[in-house]
Amino acid sequence: MADDDEKPPMAVQIQPDYSAGKNLSVEESSDAVSVGVTVITGYLGAGKSTLVNYILNGKHGKKIAVILNEFGEEIGVERAMINEGEGGALVEEWVELANGCICCTVKHSLVQALEQLVQRKDRLDHILLETTGLANPAPLASILWLDEQLESEVKLDCIVTVVDARNLRFQLNERRDSSSFPEAFNQIAFADTIIMNKVDLISEEESDELEKEIHSINSLANVIRSVRCQVDLSNILNCQAYDSTHVSRLESLLEANKSLTTTDLHDSGVRTLCISEPQPINLDKVRLWLEEILWDRKLEMDVYRCKAVLSIENSDQLHILQAVRDIYEIVPARKWSEEENRMNKIVFIGHKLDEEALRSGLRDCRP
């Protein structure tokens, strides 16, 4: 079967719209809502471009901008994030599609490209960022999530990983013949949503087994099966995976508690671990404990993602914890209700997770 995964969408070129580069008035800015950014990652050939083409050519009535980044690992994410000022390298090419979507490629400053996009006078509904040549989406996610330079004009909505159902098992097993850590583990571990593409090329039983393997690495992710990446766009747009006010999905996931803890099927040391603590905990102690794990790596664990519902002493607010690599945020989300069982539940996704050390560390956060 010919794989046309890398074909670009049909498009016509337009000029960048600089007319909206003016400052917003107070009235306008107060009504401004951040534009969500979905990061799309996955192996070459998994179907990233097929997904992008499906969205760009679909009749969904949304104005979506797609950024095809070409900075890759060799330039480095840090360089790509630098705003180089008026004379800096801007978006290389802008293309407008028949359904109103916009497509552009970026070779240098992603921040500038995002700023240009949100300054266009025709309001965007969403931005997709396809990460060509970037094995690990974590640094990108961290900057989009909590970067002050973007001044809340854009916000990280979710990380979508596209996997090739026919080849994923081979990609996961590369570990056995290599000293390097397979990209596939990273891309699955960091994902909020995983599109298991090309399921028509394997049996239903194989699909079920593969989904189990994916959940053994990351049991928090939403797994969607697809053929040619034709998915319901509501599963990948406006997911609000990093929005502290959108806590219901996280709470329902954490309700499963024990079932979230997985064993490692690949001897890779990558898995999901869920721990809980019934007593309220001290916020300052939690911060210090997390910083030892995420920043100092005192326990020599590699934590990729962390999500939690926290019961903080002397507070009637349910707090949400989210972490991507070494960046974390703890914020109050809503009031605990009278009948709720106030419990701390923390999910870690990572490498070489030490369950006993994490349990005792959480216990030590009690007042």
Side-chain angles (χ1 to χ4, degrees):
M1 185 183 75
D3 195 342
D4 59 353
D5 187 32
E6 307 308 319
K7 285 184 184 172
M10 293 295 291
V12 293
Q13 182 153 6
I14 59 165
Q15 292 304 310
D17 176 9
Y18 297 110
S19 63
K22 57 182 175 34
N23 291 328
L24 290 174
S25 68
V26 174
E27 293 80 8
E28 287 175 308
S29 62
S30 62
D31 292 331
V33 179
S34 299
V35 180
V37 180
T38 294
V39 175
I40 300 174
T41 184
Y43 263 67
L44 191 68
K48 296 192 304 295
S49 297
T50 304
L51 176 62
V52 168
N53 283 326
Y54 173 66
I55 293 165
L56 286 177
N57 296 307
K59 292 182 170 66
H60 40 63
K62 293 183 183 298
K63 194 162 189 69
I64 297 171
V66 176
I67 298 177
L68 306 171
N69 92 52
E70 295 180 3
F71 44 81
E73 297 282 16
E74 68 282 354
I75 293 175
V77 174
E78 290 74 16
R79 162 132 174 77
M81 296 307 162
I82 295 167
N83 190 332
E84 295 174 333
E86 291 297 315
L90 301 179
V91 172
E92 301 288 321
E93 181 182 13
W94 296 75
V95 168
E96 185 147 344
L97 305 165
N99 65 356
C101 292
I102 301 163
C103 190
C104 65
T105 56
V106 177
K107 293 190 188 298
H108 296 292
S109 174
L110 176 63
V111 167
Q112 274 186 306
L114 290 168
E115 286 172 346
Q116 277 188 288
L117 278 173
V118 296
Q119 284 169 2
R120 291 174 63 88
K121 65 170 177 263
D122 32 3
R123 171 80 188 161
L124 289 172
D125 294 309
H126 208 85
I127 297 171
L128 295 181
L129 176 57
E130 196 221 64
T131 59
T132 306
L134 195 65
N136 181 355
L140 201 55
S142 301
I143 289 196
L144 288 169
W145 177 29
L146 295 174
D147 185 50
E148 291 174 4
Q149 189 176 334
L150 290 168
E151 296 176 337
S152 304
E153 289 180 316
V154 300
K155 64 180 179 190
L156 180 60
D157 185 58
C158 74
I159 299 172
V160 175
T161 294
V162 183
V163 299
D164 178 344
R166 185 177 49 178
N167 291 315
L168 179 63
R169 188 168 275 127
F170 166 74
Q171 289 158 355
L172 290 172
N173 287 335
E174 280 181 332
R175 168 85 175 155
R176 291 172 186 166
D177 313 312
S178 165
S179 58
S180 65
F181 202 63
E183 286 177 30
F185 284 103
N186 268 330
Q187 292 171 349
I188 290 169
F190 284 110
D192 301 294
T193 298
I194 295 163
I195 298 175
M196 207 164 86
N197 192 33
K198 307 183 186 180
V199 290
D200 54 323
L201 303 180
I202 61 174
S203 69
E204 183 133 5
E205 292 75 21
E206 287 174 306
S207 290
D208 292 341
E209 282 302 308
L210 205 53
E211 194 164 327
K212 278 184 198 163
E213 286 195 52
I214 289 169
H215 273 139
S216 79
I217 298 165
N218 180 348
S219 60
L220 285 178
N222 180 27
V223 178
I224 303 165
R225 300 182 189 191
S226 78
V227 176
R228 298 202 55 72
C229 280
Q230 298 196 7
V231 297
D232 181 343
L233 292 189
S234 66
N235 287 319
I236 58 171
L237 302 180
N238 201 28
C239 297
Q240 298 176 298
Y242 298 83
D243 186 344
S244 59
T245 62
H246 189 74
V247 298
S248 52
R249 174 166 156 73
L250 177 56
E251 288 183 75
S252 59
L253 277 170
L254 293 177
E255 271 308 303
N257 201 7
K258 287 292 178 195
S259 62
L260 289 172
T261 295
T262 63
T263 52
D264 171 29
L265 296 180
H266 292 273
D267 303 322
S268 66
V270 180
R271 65 181 183 124
T272 303
L273 177 64
C274 186
I275 60 174
S276 58
E277 168 55 51
Q279 300 295 318
I281 54 178
N282 177 278
L283 186 55
D284 290 332
K285 286 184 178 180
V286 172
R287 289 186 187 282
L288 287 170
W289 174 60
L290 280 171
E291 287 161 16
E292 284 185 353
I293 295 169
L294 303 177
W295 298 357
D296 305 336
R297 294 192 61 201
K298 277 194 175 174
L299 300 170
E300 295 189 355
M301 291 182 289
D302 229 350
V303 175
Y304 301 149
R305 296 288 300 270
C306 178
K307 295 191 178 196
V309 167
L310 302 178
S311 171
I312 302 297
E313 67 164 335
N314 303 325
S315 172
D316 61 356
Q317 296 283 313
L318 177 152
H319 284 61
I320 292 287
L321 157 68
Q322 291 230 49
V324 177
R325 272 295 191 196
D326 57 351
I327 294 190
Y328 77 91
E329 178 182 60
I330 300 175
V331 289
R334 63 165 178 82
K335 262 193 168 183
W336 288 100
S337 63
E338 291 289 327
E339 64 278 2
E340 271 184 296
N341 179 18
R342 297 193 186 191
M343 171 85 74
N344 296 283
K345 292 179 182 175
I346 305 185
V347 177
F348 293 95
I349 300 168
H351 184 228
K352 298 180 181 171
L353 299 179
D354 184 331
E355 184 167 357
E356 196 39 58
L358 288 171
R359 284 189 189 286
S360 83
L362 180 58
R363 274 196 304 270
D364 290 343
C365 293
R366 294 185 295 204

